[in-house]
Amino acid sequence: MSFFSFGQSAEVSIVLDGQENRRQAEIKTEDGKRDKCYLYFDGETVSGKVNVTLKKSGKLEHQGIKIEFIGQIELYYDRGNHHEFTSLVKELARPGELTQSTSYNFEFSQVEKPYESYTGANVRLRYFLRVTLVKRIADTVKEQDIVVHTLSQYPEMNTSIKMEVGIEDCLHIEFEYNKSKYHLQDVIVGKIYFLLVRIKIKYMELQVIKRETTGSGPNTFNENETIAKYEIMDGAPVRGESIPIRLFLSGYELTPTMKDINKKFSVRYYLNLVLVDEEERRYFKQQEITIFRRADKVRKNYQAALSHHNPSLLSDGSGNSKSLSQPQQLEREGEEQEGNRKEEEKVEADGEKS
């Protein structure tokens, strides 16, 4: 991108070292399109060459040329303020004149890139190089984005999630997932076991929900997106029936879990078990999981470790919440939005029971 002024003008381009052999990764833009950018990791050196090409013969006076490496968070509802968490500057040329096209080498050695690149519903985290050729009337500016992936390393131990839930005197089920931390190419394996069935269940499905949280306090915004749906069963189950679950994550657009990134936003994932009865009443139970990016070269210590599950309080969706020790009660789906504004492990009902 070039900005032109009167008289001589120049075009600026950035060529990264080794870019012909460097992997590229897709990143979603604000308008929903996809761009491919060169991929870097935390601690990698970012180096290359800046080419300044004069548009016509003659000289170009400038007030200096600099290159910046910037990592910033952009909140869409606060576009006037960009929150920079990384900012490095190198001077390429002092004020003077250019009489011919010139190239400048640059290097940001072992630069820290603590967070993964991300574009969401209300926030964007990006890394980019910006070259500024300062002129008297209008500067010439060139920006080039890069993509950063963060790799996670976990101990091998990964405890399963197991919970009993139900509706008092109507339904009692036990569900189990093989672990609660999954890499982006992983498979969710589990089972549903029906201990008591006294309501007519129409179907049951498992959803993967992404919750993007921006802001803090009264200015907190939650954006929920259903990433995946997996139909567990279609028809009424019977007591003692066990249904297996196998959901492949590689086919879905997922990012790693991001918690309290620079105190600006979070991205969390939940497994949502949904039951629908013949009267179209929907009951659900959410369980948070962690998703991480594993290195392409699999190593033993890249396996996920699991944090122990905290039991939650549940209701059946009627106007009166009930307190049960075992099993916990399923929540009506219509109450999820209200429940999101409360503590994550406590759910209150506000629907009507038919």
Side-chain angles (χ1 to χ4, degrees):
M1 177 176 64
S2 297
F3 297 94
F4 301 97
S5 61
F6 297 105
Q8 177 66 288
S9 60
E11 185 175 281
V12 177
S13 63
I14 302 172
V15 180
L16 296 169
D17 286 342
Q19 67 180 30
E20 62 277 2
N21 297 319
R22 181 170 289 277
R23 277 183 55 193
Q24 289 185 300
E26 284 191 346
I27 187 72
K28 191 164 64 173
T29 59
E30 287 186 60
D31 56 6
K33 296 180 181 179
R34 295 187 169 278
D35 284 342
K36 280 193 171 182
C37 300
Y38 292 106
L39 176 64
Y40 285 82
F41 298 94
D42 183 24
E44 254 193 296
T45 295
V46 180
S47 60
K49 184 167 57 176
V50 173
N51 298 320
V52 181
T53 305
L54 300 185
K55 293 273 186 157
K56 53 188 178 182
S57 60
K59 64 181 180 179
L60 173 65
E61 293 185 4
H62 64 86
Q63 307 301 313
I65 305 172
K66 66 179 180 179
I67 185 169
E68 301 167 88
F69 180 85
I70 297 173
Q72 73 180 20
I73 296 172
E74 303 170 9
L75 298 170
Y76 296 161
Y77 60 83
D78 187 21
R79 290 181 178 272
N81 295 317
H82 292 165
H83 307 279
E84 294 184 359
F85 55 86
T86 296
S87 181
L88 302 172
V89 184
K90 288 191 180 294
E91 187 181 83
L92 300 178
R94 294 183 177 181
E97 294 181 350
L98 289 178
T99 57
Q100 61 183 6
S101 298
T102 311
S103 295
Y104 303 94
N105 294 321
F106 70 89
E107 179 181 75
F108 295 100
S109 180
Q110 298 178 343
V111 61
E112 182 182 3
K113 311 174 202 68
Y115 311 122
E116 174 140 343
S117 300
Y118 176 76
T119 302
N122 296 312
V123 64
R124 177 166 72 151
L125 189 153
R126 63 188 286 243
Y127 295 86
F128 61 96
L129 294 164
R130 180 166 63 203
V131 177
T132 305
L133 192 156
V134 183
K135 294 188 290 184
R136 185 173 299 174
I137 298 177
D139 296 344
T140 298
V141 179
K142 170 69 176 179
E143 290 185 359
Q144 180 164 324
D145 282 76
I146 66 170
V147 173
V148 171
H149 283 176
T150 57
L151 304 179
S152 299
Q153 183 174 339
Y154 292 95
E156 289 190 4
M157 187 181 69
N158 202 342
T159 311
S160 63
I161 302 172
K162 189 173 182 180
M163 182 183 289
E164 293 183 6
V165 296
I167 305 167
E168 189 174 17
D169 298 328
C170 296
L171 180 68
H172 182 182
I173 63 176
E174 179 182 281
F175 66 83
E176 181 176 3
Y177 306 122
N178 59 333
K179 48 190 175 182
S180 75
K181 291 190 178 180
Y182 300 87
H183 60 78
L184 293 170
Q185 307 298 315
D186 217 334
V187 182
I188 297 174
V189 178
K191 66 177 181 178
I192 308 292
Y193 187 69
F194 292 87
L195 302 173
L196 175 66
V197 183
R198 287 180 180 170
I199 60 174
K200 295 181 179 180
I201 297 176
K202 188 176 178 181
Y203 71 90
M204 180 186 296
E205 67 182 12
L206 181 67
Q207 301 173 345
V208 178
I209 295 178
K210 181 175 82 169
R211 180 176 300 158
E212 177 187 291
T213 303
T214 54
S216 59
N219 297 319
T220 299
F221 298 92
N222 286 320
E223 186 76 25
N224 290 342
E225 179 183 358
T226 301
I227 303 295
K229 287 185 178 181
Y230 174 82
E231 187 177 276
I232 297 173
M233 49 158 275
D234 185 6
V238 296
R239 180 179 178 181
E241 187 172 1
S242 180
I243 301 176
I245 297 171
R246 186 173 291 270
L247 176 60
F248 292 84
L249 297 178
S250 58
Y252 300 102
E253 186 180 335
L254 299 169
T255 66
T257 295
M258 307 172 80
K259 295 184 179 181
D260 198 23
I261 300 301
N262 207 43
K263 297 184 179 180
K264 299 299 178 186
F265 75 98
S266 296
V267 179
R268 299 173 184 267
Y269 289 90
Y270 298 84
L271 292 179
N272 190 33
L273 182 65
V274 180
L275 291 83
V276 180
D277 65 19
E278 291 189 347
E279 297 181 12
E280 297 299 327
R281 290 176 299 192
R282 299 169 68 89
Y283 302 89
F284 74 102
K285 169 59 189 170
Q286 287 189 358
Q287 172 62 46
E288 185 175 0
I289 59 173
T290 296
I291 296 178
F292 64 95
R293 186 180 299 280
R294 188 181 62 174
D296 291 338
K297 197 172 185 179
V298 180
R299 299 175 184 172
K300 287 184 179 180
N301 54 7
Y302 275 9
Q303 300 301 315
L306 183 99
S307 57
H308 288 290
H309 163 73
N310 292 323
S312 59
L313 300 174
L314 297 164
S315 66
D316 66 347
S318 64
N320 301 317
S321 59
K322 303 175 184 179
S323 177
L324 293 177
S325 57
Q326 185 179 12
Q328 297 177 11
Q329 284 194 274
L330 288 167
E331 179 189 1
R332 283 284 294 279
E333 189 172 67
E335 298 139 17
E336 179 182 11
Q337 187 174 3
E338 179 67 24
N340 286 343
R341 291 191 283 264
K342 298 178 171 57
E343 297 177 11
E344 288 185 7
E345 292 301 327
K346 185 176 179 180
V347 183
E348 292 183 0
D350 65 352
E352 282 190 17
K353 186 173 180 183
S354 300

